[in-house]
C-alpha cells in the first residue's frame, strides 16, 4: 500500500480524531485514547491492515462509538476514508480496506507465507502451509473467501490493489457503503477457531491452529510450553519538541522449543525485514522499528486463547 500524504496531514488527522472522540463523548481512558490514535495512524500509514479493538469499551457500545467517530472524523480528514469497522462474531476490528485487500491477496500470501503451530496435538509442531492438515485447509479456504470479498470491495470503490503512487488521502470509498463489514457468516459453517483466523488477519508470521471443539485441549497443550513473546515497537518522527516514545505495534507468542534462536529464527528475521519495508514507505511518519523477545513461563490453565 502506497503512502504519499505528508507528515503534517497525518498530524492533522490525529487532531481531528481526538476532537471527534471528545465531541461524541467517548470517555476513553488516557492509555486507551493513546492506543486508539496510534492504531489509526498505523492503519492509515500501512504498517498494519487490521487492528483488534480489545479496548475502549464493550459491545454494542464500542461498535456504536467507533462508527460515530469514523462518521464524523471522515468529514474532516479524507485520509480516514478507507477505514471500516469489521465484525466477526463478537470480535470488533478496524480495517484499512485497501490494506486488507492487499494482505489477503494470493500474491501477498505467497510472498509472506504463514507458519502454523498445531495445538491439536500434545506435542506442538510447527507446520508450513504446504503440509496436509484438515484444519489448515479450512483456514486456507477462508482466506480465499476474504480475498474474493475484499477484491470486490476494492473494485466497487475504484481502488486497484498495488497501484503505484496512490495517496491514502484520495482513495474514494462511496458514501453509500456502510461503515460496518460483518463477516460473521464466514465462520458459521466452519470449525476453525477464531483465534486461528486472528493470527493471520492481524499480521502475525505464526498462528496457532485449532478448531472450536478442540479449544480446551489446545489451551492445555499450549499451557505446557514456555513461550517467547515477540513484541514489535515503532518510534514516530515528531516535528515538535515533544519527547519521543516507543509504541507497541503488535505482539505474538511462539513456544520456546520452536523458537530457540529467538530473533534469529529465519521466519523472525524475514518478518522484521518485511516490517522494515513497510516502515520505509512511510519513513516521513515513522523513524524506526525494533523487535524485542521475552520469555513467559506458562502455567497450566493460565493461557486463554
Amino acid at each position: 500500500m502506497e503512502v504519499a500524504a505528508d507528515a503534517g496531514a497525518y498530524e492533522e488527522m490525529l487532531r481531528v480524531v481526538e476532537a471527534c472522540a471528545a465531541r461524541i463523548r467517548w470517555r476513553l481512558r488516557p492509555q486507551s485514547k493513546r492506543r486508539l490514535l496510534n492504531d489509526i495512524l498505523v492503519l492509515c500509514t500501512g504498517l498494519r491492515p487490521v487492528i483488534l479493538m480489545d479496548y475502549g469499551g464493550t459491545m454494542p457500545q464500542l461498535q456504536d462509538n467507533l462508527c460515530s467517530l469514523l462518521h464524523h472524523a471522515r468529514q474532516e480528514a479524507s485520509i480516514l476514508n478507507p477505514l471500516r469497522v469489521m465484525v466477526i462474531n463478537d470480535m470488533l476490528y478496524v480495517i484499512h480496506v485497501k490494506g486488507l485487500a492487499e494482505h489477503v491477496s494470493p500474491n501477498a500470501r505467497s510472498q509472506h507465507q504463514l507458519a502454523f503451530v498445531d495445538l491439536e496435538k500434545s506435542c506442538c509442531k510447527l507446520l508450513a502451509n504446504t503440509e496436509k492438515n484438515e484444519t489448515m485447509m479450512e483456514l486456507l479456504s477462508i482466506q480465499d473467501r476474504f480475498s474474493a470479498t475484499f477484491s470486490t470491495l476494492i473494485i466497487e470503490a475504484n481502488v486497484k490493489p498495488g497501484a503505484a503512487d496512490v495517496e491514502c488521502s484520495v482513495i474514494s470509498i462511496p458514501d453509500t457503503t456502510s461503515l460496518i463489514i460483518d463477516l460473521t457468516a464466514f465462520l458459521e459453517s466452519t470449525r476453525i477457531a477464531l483465534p486461528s483466523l486472528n493470527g493471520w488477519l492481524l499480521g502475525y508470521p505464526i498462528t496457532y491452529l485449532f478448531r472450536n471443539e478442540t479449544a480446551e485441549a489446545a489451551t492445555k497443550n499450549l499451557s505446557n510450553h514456555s513461550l517467547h513473546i515477540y513484541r514489535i515497537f515503532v518510534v514516530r518522527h515528531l516535528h515538535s519538541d515533544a519527547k519521543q516514545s516507543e509504541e507497541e505495534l503488535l505482539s505474538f507468542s511462539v513456544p520456546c522449543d520452536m523458537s530457540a534462536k529467538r530473533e534469529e529464527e529465519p521466519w523472525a528475521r524475514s518478518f522484521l525485514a518485511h516490517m522494515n519495508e513497510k516502515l520505509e514507505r512511510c519513513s516521513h511518519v515513522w523513524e524506526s522499528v525494533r523487535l524485542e523477545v521475552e520469555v513467559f513461563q506458562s502455567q497450566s490453565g493460565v493461557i486463554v486463547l
Side-chain angles (χ1 to χ4, degrees):
M1 189 179 84
E2 299 291 332
V3 178
D6 62 49
Y10 290 107
E11 294 294 336
E12 177 60 25
M13 177 270 291
L14 293 177
R15 285 192 287 271
V16 167
V17 171
E18 190 168 9
C20 287
R23 191 184 311 160
I24 66 173
R25 298 181 180 179
W26 189 358
R27 293 182 174 87
L28 287 165
R29 296 178 180 178
Q31 184 177 1
S32 294
K33 182 170 74 172
R34 178 174 175 173
R35 184 175 173 187
L36 178 64
L37 293 173
N38 189 67
D39 281 343
I40 289 176
L41 183 62
V42 161
L43 288 168
C44 290
T45 54
L47 287 189
R48 297 186 71 183
V50 181
I51 60 101
L52 175 65
M53 287 299 302
D54 54 358
Y55 61 94
T58 57
M59 295 280 271
Q61 189 62 45
L62 176 59
Q63 179 176 310
D64 292 342
N65 283 336
L66 268 175
C67 289
S68 181
L69 176 67
L70 289 179
H71 171 75
H72 288 91
R74 292 197 318 166
Q75 296 176 33
E76 302 178 44
S78 58
I79 291 176
L80 297 168
N81 282 351
L83 300 193
R84 291 291 182 276
V85 175
M86 184 172 73
V87 180
I88 303 179
N89 293 342
D90 58 348
M91 306 293 282
L92 201 65
Y93 313 78
V94 183
I95 68 170
H96 189 289
V97 174
K98 181 171 182 285
L100 185 52
E102 293 180 355
H103 177 67
V104 303
S105 68
N107 183 52
R109 283 155 50 192
S110 64
Q111 286 183 354
H112 310 287
Q113 293 193 359
L114 189 65
F116 303 91
V117 176
D118 186 358
L119 291 185
E120 296 188 329
K121 297 180 175 59
S122 56
C123 52
C124 299
K125 179 184 177 183
L126 197 63
L127 304 173
N129 63 5
T130 54
E131 298 186 45
K132 297 294 183 181
N133 179 289
E134 182 180 347
T135 309
M136 186 192 305
M137 296 306 294
E138 189 172 49
L139 178 57
L140 295 177
S141 175
I142 294 173
Q143 288 179 334
D144 289 338
R145 292 188 67 185
F146 267 87
S147 179
T149 296
F150 282 92
S151 293
T152 301
L153 285 174
I154 290 297
I155 292 171
E156 291 175 350
N158 296 317
V159 180
K160 297 179 180 179
D165 302 322
V166 175
E167 294 192 16
C168 293
S169 58
V170 300
I171 292 176
S172 176
I173 305 292
D175 291 337
T176 54
T177 302
S178 172
L179 279 171
I180 300 174
I181 300 174
D182 193 335
L183 299 183
T184 299
F186 275 25
L187 298 186
E188 285 181 351
S189 59
T190 65
R191 300 159 66 192
I192 195 79
L194 186 53
S196 293
L197 180 64
N198 277 342
W200 167 61
L201 281 177
L202 297 175
Y204 306 156
I206 291 180
T207 189
Y208 295 125
L209 194 64
F210 63 100
R211 292 162 293 179
N212 290 314
E213 62 265 30
T214 63
E216 184 176 348
T219 302
K220 182 178 179 181
N221 289 339
L222 188 59
S223 296
N224 291 330
H225 292 261
S226 294
L227 303 175
H228 279 139
I229 310 297
Y230 287 76
R231 301 186 191 277
I232 299 286
F233 295 92
V234 288
V235 175
R236 277 176 59 192
H237 274 301
L238 295 179
H239 302 276
S240 66
D241 295 330
K243 183 179 179 181
Q244 281 189 330
S245 62
E246 283 190 322
E247 301 288 348
E248 185 174 309
L249 179 63
L250 58 84
S251 62
F252 58 92
S253 65
V254 184
C256 290
D257 51 1
M258 300 179 199
S259 53
K261 296 180 180 179
R262 298 165 67 99
E263 64 271 15
E264 293 303 317
E265 289 285 345
W267 56 262
R269 295 176 65 177
S270 176
F271 179 65
L272 185 59
H274 181 47
M275 294 309 303
N276 270 300
E277 288 174 3
K278 288 187 172 186
L279 185 137
E280 287 174 6
R281 299 186 200 126
C282 50
S283 57
H284 54 301
V285 178
W286 302 102
E287 182 172 300
S288 61
V289 61
R290 179 178 68 87
L291 171 63
E292 179 179 287
V293 185
E294 60 182 272
V295 177
F296 174 76
Q297 299 292 341
S298 302
Q299 297 180 12
S300 180
V302 170
I303 297 174
V304 178
L305 292 167

